[in-house]
Amino acid sequence: MLRVENLKKYFPVQKSVLEVLLSGRRDFVRAVDGVSFEMKQGEVLSLVGESGCGKTTTGRIIVGLERPTSGKIYFKDREITSLSEEEQRRMKRHIQMVFQDPYASLNPRMKIGEHLVESLTIHGIAENDEAREMAMSMLDRVGLPGEQFFNRMPYQLSGGQRQRVAIARAMILKPDFVVADEPVSMIDVSLRAAILDLLMSFRDEYNLSMLFITHDLSVARIVGDRIAVMYLGKIMEIGKTREVIHNPRHPYTAALLSSVPSFVKKGRKVEIIGDIANPIDIPSGCRYHPRCPFAREKCKKEEPELEGGEHSFACHYPLEGGF
Ligand SMILES: Nc1ncnc2c1ncn2[C@@H]1O[C@H](COP(=O)(O)OP(=O)(O)OP(=O)(O)O)[C@@H](O)[C@H]1O
Ligand code: SF4
Ligand SMILES: [Mg+2]
């Protein structure tokens, strides 16, 4: 369904001409710095990692909201990073995004139902009465009875209800691929499970693939068939959810797991040193080495490749023995 090859996104750091002249160089935030992965139809891949590691940027590039600095994305074997505007517009119907902030993702001046009608109209799927009927039934489907909710304004809805509208707006297009960027992190804890269930029910109904972005491994454990762990713009470990959680091979994955008490079964804990490095100045060799308790000389000089097959990890001295 989707293949991402060596994706990079570098954002230039704003500097005055004088600063550039004095330092003799332009600086870049290496937000995404060589990400590769594949996804099958119907599969959910959780993308996890600390704040600022490049999860959202990866998602935004896939849905076409951001152009990559380099790298390729194949959607159903078609390269999509260099499509014309018209082709991109058509592609958008098939690749949708659900955003983190349910308050920012709706137009405050548009009725709830109109968001769905607009989506159908823009993509040439239906208009007028037909679009209205489809919108009503999709609102019913996401637990917001159309009769009651179609004419409401966004401010009249709770955060959880708004996220249901955002999901309805994406799903009414019957996409093949959805990027869900922290879709429950701004929602009251008591409502999270219901929103996740709703998302997963669409996965089952449409057999769609989903890139599920989260910083929360407990959520990743529930939703994802596989987990990819990202650090400073790169994937450090990727594999089946069970494998990654019970047999983490990368010290960073093990450290993330160590911070969740329910994951630490054998009393084994892996430390993490200090804070995330600056993405403008990425450490040499293994970019995780300044924070890794197992770092040796080789780690400072040679960057490890992501290797291994179904369960891959980028580490010169991977952990053994499960977690
Ligand atoms: N438009 C932009 N211009 C400059 N820098 C950006 C831009 N968008 C993102 N960045 C930077 O790129 C890096 C990755 O950001 P990104 O939002 O992808 O991280 P994230 O993993 O989604 O973090 P979070 O968990 O906080 O949402 C950060 O250092 C961020 O400041
Ligand atoms: S390569 Fe070295 S520094 Fe990097 S994670 Fe593995 S042991 Fe730690
Ligand atoms: Mg983000």
Side-chain angles (χ1 to χ4, degrees), residues 63-77:
V63 299
L65 288 172
E66 204 89 66
R67 288 237 176 215
T69 305
S70 63
K72 300 228 179 302
I73 300 174
Y74 296 87
F75 177 67
K76 296 182 174 176
D77 285 332

Side-chain angles (χ1 to χ4, degrees), residues 70-86:
S70 63
K72 300 228 179 302
I73 300 174
Y74 296 87
F75 177 67
K76 296 182 174 176
D77 285 332
R78 185 143 185 246
E79 212 287 302
I80 58 167
T81 53
S82 45
L83 295 178
S84 67
E85 265 182 32
E86 173 57 24

